[in-house]
Amino acid sequence: MAAGSCLLLLLLPSLVTASHRPPGCKIRITSKGLDLVKQEGLRFVEQELQNITVSDLHGNQGQFQYNISQVKVTDLQLAFSDLNFQPQQHLVFNISNASISLRFRRQLLYWFFYDIGSINASADGVHIYTVLQLAKDEAGRLKISNMTCNASIARMHAGFSGTLRKVYEFLSTFIVTGMRFLLSQQICPSLEHASLVLLNSLLDTVPVRNYVDEHIGIDYSLLQDPSISTDTLDLNFKGMFFPRVREDQELENHAVEPVIKETERMVYVAFSEYFFDSAMHSYFQAGVLTIELQGEKVPKDLEVLLRATFFGTIFMLSPSVDAPLRLVLQVSAPPRCIIKPSGTSVSVSAFLNISLVPPDRPPVQLSSMAMETKLSAKVFLQGKALRVQLDLRRYGWGTMGAWRESPPHPTHNCFLLSRFRIYSKQSALESLALFSLQAPLKTLLQLTIMPIINERTKKGVQIPLPEGMDFTREVVTNHAGFLTVGADLLFSKGLREVIEKYRPVPTVTAYSSSQPAEPSLDPSSI
């Protein structure tokens, strides 16, 4: 028994670690962001309520028989509405003192008098209280998992026209009471369909696990249900890249967990070092961190530099001295990202192999040198794509640098210093000779190799936001082990536009049953 207790105590830390996986990406939506969502959501609710379908109403009271059909909402006034966070997983949408104007077709029979026409009615004091529960589904996607709704109508009035208007107004109690009941019963089902079906189809546009390019993909699945306080909604995403050749590969996350404390902007997105490390690890596993330049692709300045310095002696010793030159730059280990308050850098170790390639003969290797460099990194947003631009040049902004190259952009962050070192894998003498090549080779790599690398990463990776929602006024801020992007939001497309694009196609049966039947003009039918 004691041995079992000791074993449990030893396993407890590992069980806790396994149950809590730090997110590689975290998103916080603040109350200001929710206010923007409320404005667009209110327009969507108005459009949904205007499409309410009310069943035909028919009945009799003594000698008075009636049939009401073709009910149509003509106007909505939703003057007082609110959308709030409710801990722990809910959003509350409240509409009070709203009014709904209706128009419908009447068929009335009173003794021997038969009349048809239209009726204008209004429902006042409409109150709608809905609670949306948010959760992650089995695929790790954010969903509206449940909805509770309560709708009531305080009063309803109907206006009649025609020769029997006075009689109808006297007997309108039966019609108004029935219509009030039917209308109140249709509000919640309409909003439930709008939430659980239509809004969830909008959430389906958020990328969860998709391909970035032909080499890697990104996993944005939620790690747990959203966490909601009175002022914020926090979403923790796995934020892990994977190589497409091994999609089931999992890279363990040992990075610092992002912490978002700010609430001034509409939305904050945080990325840990793990997010960037997994991208570079995936590219390394995919075997694409290699660049080969041969013949005319080798920059002339670099070729002249190599032939005129230490390597000139090696070239002269080779019988293929006039053969084309081949340079192979290959990363030797997965690069690592380092994020500090001062900026972002990427540490890279690589091999540079220099060979002559005579026609119809095996290549002649001249030298193999190791390179260690710390690249400065600019992280910025372009649309909804997070992009990283790497650089070998030195930056000296503020008091930490000796000079200022250019003022920093408010949406960029840069590491202040970049480091570059080369040494020979073959001999100390050759390493000493390479010292004079270090500065010019660094410059040529900046002018030739870095553009190739940045072109490959030009597309960037999409941040998990629904279609039609974009960032504006972005600001990137560095912290110890992670960075945050604070921004405001705007709707480039309305909710209706996006939802209609992905609206499920109704079946023929569902479509035909939703159409109101044409009322009969035969008095005997009522």
Side-chain angles (χ1 to χ4, degrees):
M1 181 71 176
S5 300
C6 292
L7 180 61
L8 181 60
L9 290 174
L10 291 174
L11 291 176
L12 186 59
S14 62
L15 292 175
V16 172
T17 302
S19 62
H20 177 71
R21 174 172 183 155
C25 172
K26 176 180 288 189
I27 291 183
R28 163 169 288 184
I29 299 175
T30 66
S31 297
K32 293 181 180 179
L34 193 64
D35 288 340
L36 178 70
V37 174
K38 185 193 80 171
Q39 297 172 17
E40 185 64 29
L42 190 61
R43 285 191 286 269
F44 173 70
V45 169
E46 289 177 348
Q47 293 166 348
E48 285 301 305
L49 292 180
Q50 285 177 343
N51 295 325
I52 284 180
T53 300
V54 180
S55 303
D56 292 353
L57 176 66
H58 57 83
N60 62 82
Q61 183 68 25
Q63 299 299 319
F64 177 61
Q65 302 178 55
Y66 57 89
N67 184 17
I68 302 300
S69 61
Q70 298 182 6
V71 181
K72 184 179 180 180
V73 176
T74 58
D75 186 46
L76 281 162
Q77 296 294 330
L78 308 181
F80 303 99
S81 63
D82 206 1
L83 180 63
N84 295 309
F85 294 121
Q86 178 177 293
Q88 300 289 326
Q89 294 177 236
H90 300 90
L91 295 178
V92 176
F93 187 53
N94 187 30
I95 297 175
S96 58
N97 201 26
S99 63
I100 303 176
S101 299
L102 305 170
R103 185 177 180 86
F104 46 87
R105 183 183 178 86
R106 73 172 187 264
Q107 287 180 282
L108 303 175
L109 179 63
Y110 184 65
W111 291 96
F112 300 106
F113 298 98
Y114 174 71
D115 186 43
I116 61 174
S118 61
I119 301 176
N120 294 319
S122 64
D124 300 319
V126 179
H127 181 76
I128 306 171
Y129 183 83
T130 58
V131 179
L132 305 178
Q133 181 176 354
L134 303 180
K136 76 177 186 73
D137 63 8
E138 295 180 356
R141 188 185 300 275
L142 179 65
K143 288 287 188 178
I144 300 174
S145 60
N146 192 23
M147 173 188 172
T148 58
C149 176
N150 182 30
S152 61
I153 299 175
R155 53 196 174 275
M156 191 164 186
H157 307 280
F160 294 86
S161 61
T163 56
L164 301 178
R165 180 172 58 87
K166 293 295 183 181
V167 178
Y168 299 154
E169 290 177 352
F170 176 74
L171 299 173
S172 66
T173 303
F174 310 110
I175 299 175
V176 170
T177 302
M179 285 302 302
R180 176 183 171 188
F181 173 78
L182 289 177
L183 181 61
S184 63
Q185 292 298 305
Q186 291 300 316
I187 291 176
C188 283
S190 176
L191 295 182
E192 182 176 355
H193 177 265
S195 301
L196 299 182
V197 178
L198 302 184
L199 288 182
N200 274 336
S201 70
L202 175 70
L203 293 176
D204 285 337
T205 66
V206 178
V208 172
R209 187 178 176 92
N210 61 333
Y211 295 139
V212 177
D213 54 31
E214 63 270 24
H215 305 297
I216 67 171
I218 178 68
D219 188 339
Y220 275 131
S221 57
L222 283 170
L223 297 177
Q224 57 266 149
D225 290 333
S227 175
I228 297 180
S229 69
T230 55
D231 300 313
T232 61
L233 183 153
D234 289 338
L235 302 168
N236 290 336
F237 298 93
K238 182 183 289 186
M240 183 196 74
F241 292 83
F242 57 87
R244 294 181 61 171
V245 293
R246 295 178 58 188
E247 294 193 13
D248 58 345
Q249 176 176 289
E250 291 277 340
L251 181 64
E252 197 168 349
N253 187 354
H254 298 291
V256 174
E257 180 173 347
V259 178
I260 303 176
K261 298 180 180 179
E262 298 87 353
T263 58
E264 291 78 15
R265 308 298 290 274
M266 292 184 181
V267 63
Y268 290 89
V269 188
F271 302 94
S272 72
E273 292 175 344
Y274 172 80
F275 179 85
F276 301 99
D277 284 346
S278 66
M280 293 180 288
H281 187 274
S282 297
Y283 276 123
F284 182 79
Q285 292 291 321
V288 296
L289 297 184
T290 301
I291 297 177
E292 181 175 327
L293 302 176
Q294 180 174 322
E296 295 181 354
K297 292 184 179 181
V298 178
K300 291 299 181 182
D301 292 341
L302 181 58
E303 183 174 359
V304 170
L305 176 68
L306 294 176
R307 291 182 183 273
T309 54
F310 170 77
F311 291 102
T313 304
I314 304 178
F315 293 148
M316 296 304 295
L317 295 176
S318 173
S320 306
V321 63
D322 295 327
L325 195 64
R326 180 172 68 184
L327 305 179
V328 179
L329 180 64
Q330 182 176 7
V331 174
S332 56
R336 295 297 304 274
C337 177
I338 303 171
I339 303 176
K340 296 181 179 181
S342 56
T344 306
S345 65
V346 177
S347 296
V348 183
S349 298
F351 298 139
L352 177 60
N353 296 319
I354 303 175
S355 305
L356 292 174
V357 188
D360 303 324
R361 293 180 60 185
V364 180
Q365 181 167 313
L366 300 178
S367 181
S368 179
M369 65 182 74
M371 302 174 57
E372 293 179 355
T373 182
K374 182 176 285 186
L375 306 174
S376 60
K378 295 180 181 179
V379 181
F380 60 97
L381 284 178
Q382 188 172 36
K384 284 192 291 188
L386 183 74
R387 293 182 55 189
V388 178
Q389 186 174 7
L390 301 176
D391 207 321
L392 265 172
R393 291 175 296 183
R394 170 177 171 151
Y395 294 88
W397 300 319
T399 59
M400 298 183 66
W403 52 276
R404 175 185 290 269
E405 179 180 324
S406 60
H409 192 280
T411 62
H412 298 171
N413 61 67
C414 299
F415 195 72
L416 293 176
L417 299 176
S418 60
R419 185 183 66 194
F420 180 78
R421 186 169 71 94
I422 58 175
Y423 58 91
S424 174
K425 296 168 55 182
Q426 299 171 349
S427 68
L429 179 62
E430 188 171 321
S431 295
L432 184 62
L434 290 175
F435 184 78
S436 62
L437 285 176
Q438 189 159 292
L441 187 58
K442 174 183 175 181
T443 301
L444 287 172
L445 288 176
Q446 171 66 32
L447 297 176
T448 58
I449 303 300
M450 298 311 299
I452 297 176
I453 296 175
N454 287 324
E455 182 64 28
R456 290 184 178 180
T457 61
K458 183 177 180 180
K459 181 181 178 182
V461 60
Q462 184 179 348
I463 293 178
L465 279 182
E467 183 176 335
M469 185 176 288
D470 294 321
F471 292 108
T472 181
R473 298 176 59 235
E474 312 92 346
V475 174
V476 180
T477 306
N478 275 41
H479 306 272
F482 65 95
L483 59 85
T484 60
V485 181
D488 290 334
L489 297 171
L490 60 85
F491 283 93
S492 58
K493 299 178 182 178
L495 291 179
R496 173 64 55 186
E497 181 182 354
V498 178
I499 287 173
E500 289 297 333
K501 180 178 178 180
Y502 297 99
R503 181 189 287 270
V505 179
T507 61
V508 175
T509 303
Y511 179 82
S512 60
S513 63
S514 64
Q515 301 301 308
E518 182 71 23
S520 171
L521 299 181
D522 183 4
S524 63
S525 65
I526 63 173

